[in-house]
Amino acid sequence: MEEDEFFGEKTFQRYCAEFIKHSQQIGDGWEWRTSKDSSDGYMCKTHFQVKNGTVVSHPGTSAHEQTCLPMEEALELPLDDFEVPETMAATDVIKYEYHVLYSCSYQVPVLYFRASFLDGRPLALKDVWEGVHDCYKTRLLQGPWGTITQQEHPILGQPFCVLHPCKTDEFMTPVLKNSRKINGNVNYITSWLSVVGPVVGLNLPLSYARAASQGE
Amino acid sequence: MAEEPESALQLPPSTAADGEGPTEVSPETATPEPPSSAAVSPGTEEPAGDTKKKIDILLKAVGDTPIMKTKKWAVERTRTIQGLIDFIKKFLKLVASEQLFIYVNQSFAPSPDQEVGTLYECFGSDGKLVLHYCKSQAWG
């Protein structure tokens, strides 16, 4: 199917559905949520990161995660099962929420995210940056994503940090054009999230790359 | 990110027994002097071995990105994507405001600290890992 680098809400939802399908297969935790008022929806994921580098072993960790987690501190833990071990303070754990929404004005996906302590206190933007690994910091400063700002989540109405979408098509277009020549089944969301995600602490397991190219 | 030791570009052959010729083959065409960032050397005819420390990577340019005259490189398995990005940026003499992305399977960007050895295991075929690279203008 001939697709532009821009796409409509329906195509966005289709890409998200494919993405979530793979996420479910590997236990990566992404979900789809719809807004109460309309058929608009978004994709979201929550994960917990241990600030001080302590690794908490979790019995449910997916055995078929073939890749080592790029950020040693980052743990992908299901929301319900997470318990703070006694040795850790509540301030050692940061909860990250990532939401992927569709921007009608830019016709591209947009990444909203926020970080908070377990007691619900939000992290200041500067504290979020401290948690970003050094190599991502450089990428953050030099990347073509415009700015990171705080904005109201279009559906939830709560403040989130946002990677501005104005440059998205600029860095997505050449890659998509090239990959669609070779393989028509490219999932825009997978590709885009693989690029922008690491900047804000979100890493996609490599199996998404295989799933995307197989057109699951 | 851990700063990997800058191993010298002139590395002795990993398998001393074979007489394949010089490991540090200069690229077929004249290229700018490769930067001193490490653990990456032009593609050689290293024989396949079980304990091959380097893997072959084929770099393909996307869009307006300049094409590297040397496309095939032998890279240590532990080299990260970020390390490879830095290497290519220097090799292509990109300015600081330009960012470079690397993709496997044409469209998936591995995390910057992903090791190329792992990518080779997952996505390599015909004895090599094909990576696409694409530059983009940074903001401002």
Side-chain angles (χ1 to χ4, degrees):
Chain A
M1 187 190 300
E2 189 75 22
E3 294 281 357
D4 274 340
E5 291 69 30
F6 299 97
F7 51 82
E9 176 103 35
K10 284 240 163 4
T11 309
F12 166 76
Q13 295 192 4
R14 179 167 62 82
Y15 285 138
C16 289
E18 287 172 10
F19 183 91
I20 287 171
K21 185 172 154 199
H22 184 72
S23 167
Q24 287 167 344
Q25 288 171 352
I26 64 171
D28 198 32
W30 285 90
E31 298 178 336
W32 180 260
R33 304 237 180 104
T34 36
S35 127
K36 295 191 286 275
D37 311 321
S38 69
S39 64
D40 287 354
Y42 60 95
M43 215 169 65
C44 71
K45 173 177 169 163
T46 300
H47 87 233
F48 296 89
Q49 179 172 319
V50 179
K51 229 168 64 158
N52 62 6
T54 308
V55 176
V56 178
S57 69
H58 178 72
T61 302
S62 167
H64 51 254
E65 279 252 287
Q66 298 165 324
T67 65
C68 51
L69 292 171
M71 290 173 74
E72 289 86 349
E73 299 165 2
L75 297 168
E76 311 290 335
L77 296 172
L79 197 60
D80 300 334
D81 297 354
F82 187 80
E83 287 172 14
V84 182
E86 287 166 14
T87 49
M88 286 168 52
T91 49
D92 289 338
V93 181
I94 311 289
K95 173 181 164 189
Y96 286 86
E97 294 168 76
Y98 301 99
H99 292 206
V100 174
L101 279 82
Y102 176 71
S103 162
C104 296
S105 40
Y106 289 96
Q107 295 193 290
V108 291
V110 189
L111 183 60
Y112 287 73
F113 62 98
R114 67 177 171 186
S116 57
F117 296 102
L118 288 185
D119 61 6
R121 278 179 302 129
L123 241 72
L125 204 50
K126 71 168 178 65
D127 292 326
V128 176
W129 301 151
E130 273 166 32
V132 172
H133 209 277
D134 280 347
C135 67
Y136 306 142
K137 275 182 184 153
T138 312
R139 178 172 278 213
L140 183 67
L141 293 170
Q142 294 176 351
W145 9 80
T147 50
I148 295 184
T149 55
Q150 274 212 313
Q151 283 183 29
E152 196 176 275
H153 190 289
I155 295 178
L156 299 179
Q158 295 164 16
F160 272 71
C161 299
V162 184
L163 274 184
H164 203 276
C166 61
K167 297 284 187 178
T168 298
D169 67 289
E170 214 172 280
F171 65 83
M172 287 300 296
T173 298
V175 172
L176 288 179
K177 273 208 167 95
N178 178 65
S179 65
R180 278 170 180 155
K181 275 190 296 192
I182 301 167
N183 164 25
N185 283 321
V186 177
N187 187 313
Y188 187 112
I189 293 293
T190 304
S191 183
W192 165 79
L193 204 48
S194 72
V195 174
V196 301
V199 174
V200 293
L202 174 68
N203 295 295
L204 295 188
L206 289 180
S207 63
Y208 278 105
R210 274 196 296 278
S213 64
Q214 284 157 14
E216 285 184 2
Chain B
M1 168 167 85
E3 283 304 326
E4 289 151 313
E6 297 288 320
S7 30
L9 198 55
Q10 311 301 327
L11 290 171
S14 50
T15 51
D18 61 75
E20 286 294 313
T23 1
E24 297 309 318
V25 178
S26 36
E28 311 88 278
T29 57
T31 54
E33 191 180 282
S36 56
S37 69
V40 182
S41 51
T44 67
E45 298 306 317
E46 279 182 31
D50 294 279
T51 53
K52 193 167 154 187
K53 293 195 184 71
K54 288 189 175 186
I55 52 135
D56 285 338
I57 288 182
L58 181 62
L59 294 173
K60 294 190 169 180
V62 172
D64 293 338
T65 314
I67 299 171
M68 290 174 80
K69 290 206 165 77
T70 304
K71 299 179 180 57
K72 196 169 177 197
W73 295 86
V75 181
E76 282 186 3
R77 287 174 177 268
T78 51
R79 175 58 47 167
T80 62
I81 285 291
Q82 186 61 48
L84 197 55
I85 286 174
D86 292 339
F87 174 79
I88 298 172
K89 281 176 80 169
K90 284 188 200 157
F91 197 92
L92 294 178
K93 299 195 157 109
L94 296 189
V95 301
S97 65
E98 291 171 308
Q99 182 58 280
L100 191 90
F101 297 103
I102 287 184
Y103 298 88
V104 294
N105 275 8
Q106 302 99 41
S107 65
F108 185 88
S111 303
D113 43 13
Q114 192 68 256
E115 290 184 359
V116 297
T118 309
L119 296 176
Y120 177 79
E121 299 303 324
C122 295
F123 302 104
S125 65
D126 298 330
K128 65 182 184 300
L129 174 68
V130 176
L131 295 177
H132 286 82
Y133 62 96
C134 186
K135 77 166 180 159
S136 71
Q137 217 55 36
W139 178 254

